[in-house]
Amino acid sequence: MAFVPGQPVTAVVQRIEIHKLRQGDNLILGFSIGGGIDQDPTQNPFSEDKTDKGIYVTRVTEGGPAEVAGLQIGDKIMQVNGWDMTMVTHDQARKRLTKRNEEVVRLLVTRQSLQKAVQQSMMS
Amino acid sequence: MDDYDIRSAASILASVKEQEARFERLTRALEEERRNVSLQLERASQPDRLSICNIGNGQPLATAWQQLVLQEQSPSNQTSIAMMQEPQEMVEETVTVEEDPGTPTSHVSIVTSEDGTTRRTETKVTKMVKTVTTRTVRQVPLGPDGLPAMDGSSPMGSYTDSIDRRYLKNGERYITPQASSTLTRSYNSYNDSYPESHEGQYRPYLGHDGYGDLSDNYGSLSRGVGYRPRYAYVPGSAYRPDDGSFTLPSRRDNYGPVAQPQVPVGSNADLNRSQPERFQPEPYGLEDDNRSLGVDDEGYELDPDYSTVNRRTSAGVPERGRPHKGRGYEEPMEPEMVEERIPYLHGGYAAPLAQPERGSMASIDRLGKRSPSIDSIRKDPRWRDPDLPEVIAMLSHPIDPVKSNAAAYLQHLCYENDKIKKDVRHLKGIPILVGLLDHPKPEVHRKACGALRNISYGKDNENKVAIKNCDGIPALIRLLRKTNDMEVRELITGTLWNLSSYEPLKMVIINHGLQTLTNEVIIPHSGWESEPNEDSKPRDAEWTTVFKNTSGCLRNVSSDGAEARRRLRECDGLVDALLHALQSAVGKKDTDNKSVENCVCIMRNLSYHVHKEVPGADKYQELDAGQTTGTGGSQKKKKDDAGCFGGKKAKEEWFNQGKKNGDLDRNFDTLDLPKRSEAAKGFELLYQPDVVRLYLSILTESQNFNTLEAAAGALQNLSAGNWMWSTYIRATVRKERGLPVLVELLQSDSDKVVRAVSIALRNLSMDRRNKDLIGSYAMGELVRNLPSRQQRSAKNLEEDTVVAVLNTIHEIITDSSENARSLIQTQGIQKLVAISKSSQSPRETKAASHILQMIWSYKELRNALQKDGWNKSHFQSVSAALKGSKGPAGRSGYDDSTLPLVEKSQDNEKSGSRDMIPMDELGPDGYSTIDHRDKERKYKSSDPSGDASEKEPLKNDTNRKNINRSNRASVNLVDARDIKPQPVDSWV
């Protein structure tokens, strides 16, 4: 999933719609993110390309809204409600996901197994 | 596990033999039936007759069934026709049927007679027939085909006709124009579908869409088409479809020939009786059931054979069913199968019987129902095993029973066969199996899980990775949350246990499943309740297979470094539940089993480095420091500076510590345990002094070496380190009279137990009183474990163990001339000199020479030594030789790590100089003592035993291929440590 800045990215993505869960005053999605253009990409255990500064799902609460929706650890978030997530800071991504007035977030995510599945089907 | 395997192998053999026997009987019975049927047919060329006959026979039930059948048939026929025209899916189903059809043909004749009846009765039976009948009906139609062809003219008949036609074709004679046409179609479609499925598994999905439809179809088809599908279910039948391509041909041929009646055996005889002309109707009813049963059985049987696991077969499948199965298998071979089946039908299997069978089949799922037992039975004339690509293609077959049978067969094939596992992986079978885990039907996801369990077992980690790469781990966890079926849960947790033996997957399992495994398995089976009901007494742990598997899995993942430990410690309820389970084990004196072993190993791993890794640990460190200053802190500093022993900081430190600890101990003895405002919970429980009693009980009672080692290791881990809790632990061990327990274990036959106990004693001797006691009472046992000149050692202990014992001795005599004196009195000098001069192991040599040096440093002992004939050269030559490397030998660290030690090869160098040890290494942590471990760890780490906790492979497959991995974890630990700034991670 390496890409060159300025060049279009081709990736196999899955749409995931997460309905936030209300916990007290907070709306939670039930996952955590890592990465961002302000973070050290070499410490991202999930990226194949260690220069990838994308936003990755680092944890998913078992049984939480994100897991129910099919989000998985290691997923790379490409878009949130249509907003690009491949070139944002960690905090921008966090804010984009946690807007209080949005009860539903729609993600485009990609993951290795998706890519592989498509490759295999194309090859076979 | 071995037993298990043996049993399964034996049971498979037995079931195969059974099947064969049944097959024979069935064949004979079928033949007889055929004859009868053909006779009947001849007599009553028309359906009316047949019906009459049935009635006349006086088997009302049978008639009823038949009637029912007819009704169903009619609908089914309609549906079937429609289906055929419409969706491919339908066609596929039909295909399955086709396989059966061959067999059915013979039946068909019978059916014909029934058809006659059916028409008449149709109205009555309809309702009842629905489930059971359906299948029958189809068959009946087939039979009728010959006869029905006539009927076919009527609307109802048309359905039958279609069915009949097929059969006719198969059967030969009864071909009606229409019928033949329909049949052909179905076959064609069938064939098409199969090829498709082989090529692209995706087609099946189309079928899936049909699922709802399929089932409906079955219902509708049931009569005609539907039944066929069921046939498909039968493993044999499923393949038969392929047969269509592969084997099928024979059946039809056979059908013609089938007629040869043979004398039925045993039960068959009964059948035969009934078979005779009149009762044909009954036979049908029975047949259906039987067939269905038979089919089911086949399915079941397959399962059993395939999977080690299969229980169903034995338990679930009724005797009858088994025979059927037998038929199914054998039948394929014989064209007469059809006939055989017929006999069954005739066979005295009364309708009622059939129903019960269904029940049994029910477990299997639809197979039974769907299975047109008769058809399936008849089919197989030339039957062959599907090859691997075919089986994998069948995993995507639209018909669920085909899927489940294919998965079961895969499980069977993979059993102890690494090549097949690999082939399955290369053929992309694993993602399909993982996909089936989400299948709503229990039979399907169960079988898929069984196959995955076998595939995940073994040394080939590629298979494990393949499962993980297609998101198999979250899928397994999902299924675990969803299912209440114990067997499925065993399979899931077994698979996870297998997967957990591969290092890179450990964190994945933690990430996806830790809390679920804890909530779904560990907590409920441990008997622990977070809010116990005061009225009820505490529950005991249940040592179920699920618990064993899950604890094994967690045991493996618990060795994956600091992060893994942190996650497990902080997992809600996990530590509480494990401790409760162990307490319960001790209470019941049941401490030898595998589950207990797993639990203790997890506890040991989680106890590793608690004093560094637990949140708030520094607080207790400070506390400790505070106490130190209060009591002997100032002394310590002074001493350090002064450097009593040649300015060796390490020694001094130890020395100081000893004193310091001594002071603390005194306090403790009078009572110094911190009072808690609230009960400890979660990871706090790991290091509460209460656990000491638990571990000591285990050490006293268990006969399981692994458990003993782990319990000793837990004490070792807990007594290491400098924080407040380890001080309490050390004192508590003494107060609980744990030292004699440990000393006694030094006599253990197990190398690793001796090693773990020895290191635990060394850590415990940080407590001054413990040191005195250990010096007095343990020295003899320690020395006894050392090799003497003649024999390497009485027990022939491994190098690591010998080194551990030497280091413990060194620690005990350090700063205690009394202990050094007792070493001399136990004739230890002779052994030490021998080791230092002649051991093959440099590590042993160093360790021994360090002890000797230490002894010689006690001037007050020199007289005694010289009296015994020793002189300075015995003590110093060695040391001189060693110089430069003294450090390591001297290492008197405390090991806290049973776990994979953090082993750095560098340690050796570092350790070389004691001076470095104390503060440099510890520096950051502030623990002066702990670091020593590192050095020790080296030793330990060299021992795989350190890790012992990990990897227990799953037995399912059989053995322990994975079993020995060991210290990799250590590497991980190091990594974890080295990590710099933690990357930002935000919950959203």
Side-chain angles (χ1 to χ4, degrees):
Chain A
M1 295 195 292
F3 63 94
V4 180
Q7 295 298 310
V9 179
T10 304
V12 182
V13 296
Q14 177 179 347
R15 285 176 207 279
I16 291 184
E17 182 173 294
I18 306 178
H19 295 260
K20 294 184 183 176
L21 184 68
R22 185 168 292 284
Q23 271 195 352
D25 288 341
N26 299 323
L27 286 173
I28 62 156
L29 287 160
F31 69 97
S32 71
I33 55 168
I37 56 178
D38 56 340
Q39 301 290 314
D40 175 5
T42 61
Q43 291 193 45
N44 180 343
F46 303 107
S47 59
E48 233 170 338
D49 171 4
K50 289 304 173 197
T51 64
D52 183 355
K53 296 182 179 180
I55 302 293
Y56 281 77
V57 177
T58 55
R59 297 199 198 180
V60 177
T61 305
E62 290 174 44
E67 197 202 29
V68 169
L71 196 68
Q72 296 182 9
I73 291 174
D75 284 355
K76 179 181 179 181
I77 301 178
M78 309 298 284
Q79 289 184 7
V80 174
N81 291 337
W83 295 90
D84 173 69
M85 286 290 126
T86 63
M87 287 292 252
V88 294
T89 65
H90 185 85
D91 216 42
Q92 285 169 333
R94 187 179 57 76
K95 287 178 177 161
R96 190 57 75 190
L97 285 162
T98 56
K99 294 222 173 289
R100 288 182 163 273
N101 58 354
E102 293 173 351
E103 301 229 340
V104 175
V105 295
R106 294 185 180 81
L107 307 180
L108 284 190
V109 305
T110 184
R111 71 178 69 107
Q112 291 176 23
S113 57
L114 275 178
Q115 306 270 21
K116 284 178 186 161
V118 171
Q119 282 171 6
Q120 287 178 1
S121 67
M122 288 171 64
M123 286 164 55
S124 61
Chain B
M1 321 205 97
D2 292 342
D3 292 348
Y4 185 75
D5 298 336
I6 295 170
R7 257 183 272 134
S8 63
S11 68
I12 293 176
L13 256 183
S15 70
V16 170
K17 286 180 182 171
E18 265 195 16
Q19 293 177 3
E20 287 179 359
R22 290 173 189 167
F23 230 103
E24 276 198 6
R25 284 182 230 142
L26 289 176
T27 339
R28 291 179 193 170
L30 270 182
E31 287 179 358
E32 279 202 6
E33 270 218 345
R34 274 219 168 177
R35 289 182 188 174
N36 295 332
V37 173
S38 58
L39 286 175
Q40 292 179 1
L41 287 177
E42 291 178 5
R43 296 178 187 173
S45 52
Q46 295 182 352
D48 296 336
R49 270 196 183 182
L50 292 172
S51 62
I52 298 171
C53 290
N54 297 331
I55 300 170
N57 293 336
Q59 299 178 351
L61 294 177
T63 12
W65 285 100
Q66 294 178 353
Q67 294 176 356
L68 294 174
V69 177
L70 293 172
Q71 293 178 352
E72 290 183 6
Q73 293 179 353
S74 58
S76 62
N77 295 330
Q78 300 172 354
T79 46
S80 63
I81 299 172
M83 304 283 300
M84 300 182 58
Q85 298 175 352
E86 300 172 7
Q88 294 180 350
E89 300 173 357
M90 299 295 299
V91 178
E92 290 185 0
E93 295 176 356
T94 326
V95 179
T96 346
V97 179
E98 294 179 2
E99 297 178 351
D100 296 339
T103 5
T105 352
S106 60
H107 291 290
V108 175
S109 61
I110 301 173
V111 177
T112 335
S113 58
E114 286 181 336
D115 292 344
T117 357
T118 26
R119 287 185 180 179
R120 299 175 183 177
T121 34
E122 290 175 359
T123 18
K124 306 172 184 178
V125 187
T126 342
K127 303 169 186 176
M128 306 189 48
V129 182
K130 306 163 189 175
T131 21
V132 184
T133 354
T134 334
R135 306 162 190 176
T136 338
V137 176
R138 297 175 182 176
Q139 299 173 352
V140 176
L142 300 174
D145 295 3
L147 304 174
M150 318 274 302
D151 299 344
S153 55
S154 68
M156 306 279 296
S158 64
Y159 294 107
T160 30
D161 292 349
S162 63
I163 301 171
D164 296 343
R165 298 166 188 174
R166 301 170 190 173
Y167 290 100
L168 295 174
K169 289 183 176 183
N170 298 332
E172 326 139 6
R173 334 159 177 169
Y174 305 87
I175 305 175
T176 320
Q178 301 175 354
S180 51
S181 60
T182 37
L183 291 175
T184 8
R185 298 172 191 171
S186 61
Y187 286 121
N188 297 338
S189 58
Y190 196 28
N191 296 335
D192 298 349
S193 64
Y194 260 86
E196 294 175 3
S197 60
H198 291 294
E199 299 171 3
Q201 305 154 347
Y202 300 86
R203 286 223 171 172
Y205 291 107
L206 301 177
H208 290 296
D209 302 347
Y211 273 143
D213 301 354
L214 290 181
S215 49
D216 299 349
N217 297 340
Y218 292 140
S220 58
L221 291 176
S222 48
R223 311 55 212 196
V225 184
Y227 297 128
R228 302 164 186 176
R230 295 177 182 177
Y231 298 113
Y233 295 111
V234 182
S237 53
Y239 304 127
R240 294 165 190 175
D242 297 323
D243 297 345
S245 21
F246 317 60
T247 8
L248 290 180
S250 52
R251 332 160 191 163
R252 301 176 183 178
D253 302 349
N254 299 332
Y255 294 126
V258 176
Q260 333 151 352
Q262 293 185 355
V263 183
V265 184
S267 59
N268 294 338
D270 298 341
L271 298 177
N272 297 331
R273 301 171 187 172
S274 60
Q275 293 178 0
E277 327 78 285
R278 342 154 178 173
F279 303 88
Q280 298 171 353
E282 296 180 352
Y284 292 111
L286 298 174
E287 290 180 4
D288 294 346
D289 296 346
N290 296 334
R291 296 174 184 180
S292 60
L293 295 175
V295 177
D296 294 343
D297 295 340
E298 293 177 358
Y300 290 102
E301 291 181 350
L302 293 178
D303 297 347
D305 298 342
Y306 299 139
S307 57
T308 348
V309 184
N310 335 326
R311 323 66 216 197
R312 308 164 187 171
T313 325
S314 54
V317 183
E319 300 174 359
R320 300 171 184 174
R322 291 182 180 179
H324 296 292
K325 302 173 182 180
R327 306 169 186 172
Y329 293 128
E330 295 179 358
E331 291 179 32
M333 320 284 295
E334 307 175 3
E336 304 105 13
M337 294 302 295
V338 178
E339 298 177 357
E340 296 179 1
R341 295 178 184 180
I342 300 174
Y344 289 113
L345 302 174
H346 293 299
Y349 299 111
L353 295 177
Q355 293 178 348
E357 293 175 351
R358 292 178 183 177
S360 61
M361 300 166 66
S363 62
I364 302 174
D365 289 354
R366 317 60 214 190
L367 295 178
K369 304 173 181 179
R370 303 170 182 176
S371 60
S373 50
I374 304 173
D375 301 48
S376 59
I377 301 172
R378 303 166 184 172
K379 326 166 187 177
D380 350 331
R382 292 133 196 187
W383 192 88
R384 71 170 172 82
D385 287 336
D387 61 25
L388 200 52
E390 287 162 5
V391 176
I392 289 173
M394 276 179 234
L395 291 175
S396 304
H397 194 278
I399 295 166
D400 294 338
V402 177
K403 286 194 190 93
S404 67
N405 281 323
Y409 189 49
L410 258 189
Q411 178 180 8
H412 168 65
L413 290 176
C414 287
Y415 180 72
E416 291 195 317
N417 190 328
D418 289 339
K419 165 111 177 21
I420 299 246
K421 292 177 193 173
K422 191 177 169 192
D423 290 344
V424 171
R425 185 177 82 236
H426 289 319
L427 291 167
K428 309 269 193 288
I430 291 177
I432 305 173
L433 285 169
V434 167
L436 290 179
L437 292 178
D438 287 322
H439 196 284
K441 298 201 173 156
E443 191 58 23
V444 177
H445 62 236
R446 177 188 309 155
K447 292 289 163 49
C449 200
L452 285 172
R453 186 180 65 170
N454 280 0
I455 289 171
S456 65
Y457 179 81
K459 291 178 184 165
D460 191 350
N461 290 324
E462 290 296 309
N463 294 328
K464 301 184 176 74
V465 171
I467 292 174
K468 173 243 172 190
N469 281 346
C470 56
D471 298 325
I473 292 173
L476 286 165
I477 297 294
R478 265 199 308 279
L479 183 54
L480 179 63
R481 262 192 302 243
K482 230 167 23 189
T483 183
N484 286 317
D485 181 336
M486 261 309 162
E487 181 188 325
V488 176
R489 289 178 153 232
E490 287 175 11
L491 292 170
I492 293 168
T493 52
T495 307
L496 288 170
W497 192 1
N498 285 339
L499 294 174
S500 70
S501 67
Y502 184 48
E503 305 292 338
L505 302 189
K506 292 181 178 178
M507 214 57 207
V508 182
I509 291 172
I510 290 175
N511 285 334
H512 285 103
L514 175 58
Q515 195 66 56
T516 300
L517 288 170
T518 303
N519 292 345
E520 296 284 334
V521 180
I522 297 292
I523 291 178
H525 291 256
S526 72
W528 177 73
E529 293 162 290
S530 60
E531 294 174 355
N533 181 348
E534 291 184 356
D535 299 339
S536 60
K537 45 182 174 181
R539 295 191 299 131
D540 278 331
E542 311 158 11
W543 309 122
T544 58
T545 304
V546 174
F547 185 82
K548 180 179 66 183
N549 291 351
T550 306
S551 57
C553 173
L554 294 180
R555 168 180 171 180
N556 281 351
V557 303
S558 69
S559 67
D560 196 31
E563 174 67 6
R565 289 196 293 273
R566 187 182 67 74
R567 297 285 296 276
L568 264 67
R569 286 184 194 125
E570 295 175 7
C571 177
D572 278 346
L574 177 58
V575 173
D576 314 66
L578 291 174
L579 275 174
H580 182 91
L582 288 175
Q583 234 114 31
S584 154
V586 168
K588 289 188 295 184
K589 308 263 181 195
D590 183 11
T591 52
D592 294 341
N593 65 55
K594 190 71 181 177
S595 294
V596 169
E597 179 188 322
N598 289 336
C599 291
V600 180
C601 285
I602 297 170
M603 293 298 291
R604 178 186 69 176
N605 285 353
L606 297 187
S607 300
Y608 178 74
H609 275 186
V610 267
H611 52 95
K612 288 181 180 176
E613 296 172 355
V614 155
D618 6 335
K619 188 168 65 190
Y620 295 108
Q621 296 289 343
E622 292 173 5
L623 219 181
D624 195 34
Q627 289 187 0
T628 322
T629 42
T631 54
S634 56
Q635 293 180 3
K636 184 182 177 182
K637 264 202 170 182
K638 292 177 184 175
K639 289 187 178 180
D640 286 350
D641 295 344
C644 299
F645 294 107
K648 293 181 181 176
K649 282 188 183 177
K651 281 187 187 174
E652 285 196 353
E653 277 229 355
W654 290 111
F655 201 58
N656 295 329
Q657 275 210 342
K659 290 187 176 177
K660 170 180 82 187
N661 289 333
D663 294 343
L664 289 176
D665 292 342
R666 261 161 242 143
N667 293 337
F668 179 70
D669 283 350
T670 53
L671 149 168
D672 204 19
L673 276 180
K675 291 176 182 164
R676 310 189 61 94
S677 53
E678 51 188 59
K681 60 178 182 179
F683 62 78
E684 292 173 337
L685 293 168
L686 287 171
Y687 46 83
Q688 297 304 308
D690 311 344
V691 300
V692 168
R693 188 174 302 164
L694 173 64
Y695 291 132
L696 290 176
S697 300
I698 293 170
L699 287 171
T700 307
E701 291 177 14
S702 182
Q703 304 294 317
N704 179 328
F705 288 146
N706 292 327
T707 302
L708 290 173
E709 183 205 1
L715 287 178
Q716 169 194 335
N717 284 344
L718 293 173
S719 57
N722 242 359
W723 72 341
M724 183 184 82
W725 295 109
S726 59
T727 305
Y728 293 136
I729 295 284
R730 289 191 286 265
T732 305
V733 171
R734 180 177 68 251
K735 292 181 66 180
E736 295 286 344
R737 305 179 192 289
L739 295 177
V741 173
L742 290 166
V743 171
E744 188 176 335
L745 284 171
L746 286 174
Q747 302 173 19
S748 169
D749 293 331
S750 165
D751 204 90
K752 51 193 180 183
V753 173
V754 172
R755 182 162 53 224
V757 168
S758 162
I759 298 172
L761 286 172
R762 171 164 147 193
N763 286 352
L764 288 168
S765 68
M766 284 173 76
D767 176 302
R768 183 69 207 193
R769 278 196 198 177
N770 285 348
K771 179 177 281 191
D772 293 342
L773 290 168
I774 293 169
S776 310
Y777 298 104
M779 192 61 81
E781 287 302 332
L782 287 169
V783 170
R784 214 158 299 160
N785 276 304
L786 294 175
S788 65
R789 198 168 288 172
Q790 295 78 10
Q791 37 186 152
R792 188 150 192 306
S793 116
K795 298 182 201 165
N796 211 8
L797 297 176
E798 293 172 10
E799 176 191 42
D800 289 313
T801 308
V802 173
V803 172
V805 170
L806 289 171
N807 286 341
T808 301
I809 293 174
H810 183 271
E811 178 60 32
I812 294 170
I813 64 167
T814 298
D815 180 33
S816 170
S817 61
E818 269 311 301
N819 289 343
R821 195 181 300 280
S822 66
L823 173 61
I824 296 169
Q825 286 163 358
T826 56
Q827 313 302 316
I829 304 299
Q830 189 177 353
K831 283 188 172 182
L832 289 168
V833 170
I835 293 171
S836 71
K837 296 224 163 118
S838 59
S839 170
Q840 304 292 321
S841 156
R843 290 170 55 212
E844 290 178 8
T845 307
K846 278 185 200 171
S849 61
H850 273 277
I851 296 172
L852 292 172
Q853 260 182 297
M854 176 73 73
I855 292 171
W856 194 250
S857 70
Y858 293 106
K859 294 187 177 136
E860 63 268 34
L861 299 179
R862 286 184 189 167
N863 271 339
L865 289 171
Q866 283 162 345
K867 276 185 193 167
D868 289 345
W870 306 107
N871 61 50
K872 189 177 177 181
S873 67
H874 290 112
F875 301 89
Q876 290 198 331
S877 63
V878 183
S879 65
L882 289 177
K883 260 200 177 177
S885 61
K886 25 173 168 174
R891 233 28 294 92
S892 57
Y894 300 80
D895 263 358
D896 57 350
S897 57
T898 336
L899 275 188
L901 302 189
V902 180
E903 268 211 69
K904 313 177 177 179
S905 38
Q906 341 138 350
D907 287 1
N908 293 323
E909 301 174 1
K910 289 184 182 177
S911 58
S913 57
R914 286 188 181 178
D915 307 5
M916 301 185 48
I917 302 172
M919 292 321 302
D920 295 347
E921 294 190 6
L922 297 180
D925 294 340
Y927 306 88
S928 47
T929 358
I930 302 174
D931 292 316
H932 300 296
R933 313 165 212 160
D934 288 342
K935 304 165 185 180
E936 280 211 349
R937 290 171 193 172
K938 306 167 184 179
Y939 300 128
K940 274 198 168 185
S941 48
S942 35
D943 304 356
S945 60
D947 272 340
S949 50
E950 303 192 358
K951 7 250 129 150
E952 290 262 31
L954 253 201
K955 15 133 160 235
N956 170 12
D957 281 5
T958 18
N959 318 325
R960 6 102 189 218
K961 304 175 181 177
N962 308 331
I963 300 188
N964 15 332
R965 317 182 163 177
S966 14
N967 307 333
R968 286 219 179 151
S970 55
V971 178
N972 293 331
L973 290 178
V974 179
D975 293 345
R977 268 192 177 182
D978 294 345
I979 291 182
K980 324 141 192 184
Q982 279 281 332
V984 181
D985 189 66
S986 321
W987 280 100
V988 292

